[in-house]
């Protein structure tokens, strides 16, 4: 994803956390902050050390990024959101990561439920 689609600074992460709007499933937590004047969504990805070593953390981040890239046309554009991986996200296949991300994005109302099909 291009830099304009990323939340990178600590202050920006904190602003989204302070909004207290979150949803979760067993693999991921999503925090969101609405920004009506923003031209497109921005996303921050956090994978903690409970996941494993750097190889495992980067592996999970790559799968999250790829899922979000695939779903980009269906995502709401007026929001900043953070995706936080829980330890259960480690070791999932790409299809499982995508299904879990679709589920949590629908819970957060960031994804139009009619536009995408869950792949199993």
């Amino acid at each position: 994803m291009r830099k304009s689609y990323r939340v990178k600074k600590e202050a920006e992460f904190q602003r989204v956390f302070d909004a207290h709007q979150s949803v979760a499933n067993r693999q991921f937590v999503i925090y969101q902050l609405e920004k009506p004047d923003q031209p497109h969504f921005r996303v921050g990805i956090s994978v903690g050390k409970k996941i494993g070593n750097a190889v495992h953390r980067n592996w999970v981040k790559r799968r999250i990024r790829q899922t979000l890239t695939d779903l980009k046309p269906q995502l709401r554009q007026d929001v900043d959101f953070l995706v936080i991986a829980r330890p259960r996200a480690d070791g999932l296949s790409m299809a499982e990561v995508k299904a879990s991300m679709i589920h949590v994005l629908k819970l957060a109302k960031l994804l139009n439920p009619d536009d995408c099909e869950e792949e199993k």
Side-chain angles (χ1 to χ4, degrees):
M1 279 195 190
R2 290 184 291 166
K3 282 188 179 184
S4 63
Y5 282 89
R6 291 186 273 172
V7 176
K8 293 293 276 181
K9 296 180 182 173
E10 184 180 350
E12 294 171 343
F13 264 81
Q14 199 58 49
R15 200 172 305 126
V16 177
F17 278 125
D18 291 341
H20 299 295
Q21 292 182 0
S22 67
V23 294
N25 63 10
R26 291 182 177 196
Q27 292 82 18
F28 302 104
V29 180
I30 295 208
Y31 288 87
Q32 61 184 347
L33 174 66
E34 294 194 20
K35 296 181 114 182
D37 56 341
Q38 188 166 268
H40 55 77
F41 71 88
R42 295 188 319 155
V43 63
I45 299 172
S46 176
V47 180
K49 289 188 176 181
K50 288 183 180 181
I51 296 285
N53 63 15
V55 173
H56 286 274
R57 292 193 302 271
N58 286 328
W59 184 84
V60 170
K61 281 189 269 189
R62 281 195 306 270
R63 295 201 180 231
I64 293 169
R65 261 190 243 111
Q66 182 59 46
T67 299
L68 292 172
T69 302
D70 293 346
L71 298 173
K72 191 191 299 191
Q74 291 89 22
L75 288 168
R76 283 183 44 202
Q77 300 299 309
D78 62 340
V79 67
D80 282 357
F81 63 98
L82 307 178
V83 177
I84 299 168
R86 289 181 163 176
R88 294 187 80 160
D90 188 23
L92 296 178
S93 70
M94 184 62 198
E96 292 169 326
V97 169
K98 188 169 186 176
S100 183
M101 283 294 297
I102 288 171
H103 175 254
V104 76
L105 288 167
K106 282 182 182 179
L107 289 175
K109 295 182 174 60
L110 295 176
L111 191 64
N112 186 348
D114 300 331
D115 284 346
C116 67
E117 309 268 326
E118 286 190 40
E119 295 178 19
K120 294 182 180 180

